[in-house]
């Protein structure tokens, strides 16, 4: 079975009495996205910063989107931003930030 350790550049070579030929082939093994379920709930005081993690793995690197109470959030909004790691950073928590967050 193929694993990520098989990702490499391979060479196919053919030879006979009148010559030889070769070809290079790059093999990249893709891995489906996976999200670690390691943050079931977060409690924070108002006017405090918070970072909600979203630990994703996959090849190629998956993109992360966030939803709050069923509605999709953009990469940046009032008081929050999605970090390059996929985590959601809320600079100063307000009551309006309370809710059910899901990263996908």
């Amino acid at each position: 079975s193929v694993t990520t350790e098989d990702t490499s550049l391979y060479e196919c070579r053919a030879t006979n009495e009148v010559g030889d030929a070769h070809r290079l082939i790059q093999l990249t093994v893709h891995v489906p996205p996976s999200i670690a379920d390691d943050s079931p709930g977060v409690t924070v005081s108002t006017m405090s910063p918070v970072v909600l993690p979203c630990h994703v793995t996959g090849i190629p690197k998956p993109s992360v989107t966030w939803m709050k109470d069923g509605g999709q959030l953009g990469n940046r909004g009032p008081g929050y931003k999605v970090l390059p790691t996929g985590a959601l950073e809320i600079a100063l928590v307000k009551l309006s930030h309370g809710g059910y967050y899901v990263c996908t």
Side-chain angles (χ1 to χ4, degrees):
S1 130
V2 178
T3 70
T4 55
E5 293 176 1
D6 296 316
T7 294
S8 188
L9 183 64
Y10 291 88
E11 180 178 18
C12 175
R13 183 173 293 274
T15 61
N16 67 17
E17 60 276 355
V18 293
D20 64 14
H22 74 278
R23 181 174 178 200
L24 298 175
I25 301 170
Q26 175 67 46
L27 174 67
T28 303
V29 178
H30 287 192
V31 177
S34 176
I35 301 174
D37 186 17
D38 56 1
S39 294
V42 175
T43 303
V44 64
S45 301
T46 57
M47 302 311 288
S48 297
V50 66
V51 175
L52 304 178
C54 185
H55 298 113
V56 298
T57 57
I59 300 172
K61 183 179 177 180
S63 60
V64 174
T65 57
W66 280 90
M67 298 182 76
K68 178 188 175 211
D69 296 329
Q72 187 169 339
L73 298 176
N75 284 334
R76 182 177 293 273
Y80 76 86
K81 66 180 174 182
V82 178
L83 301 176
T85 61
L88 180 68
E89 178 183 57
I90 302 173
L92 295 172
V93 173
K94 299 177 183 176
L95 287 176
S96 62
H97 289 120
Y100 185 71
Y101 289 83
V102 176
C103 73
T104 59

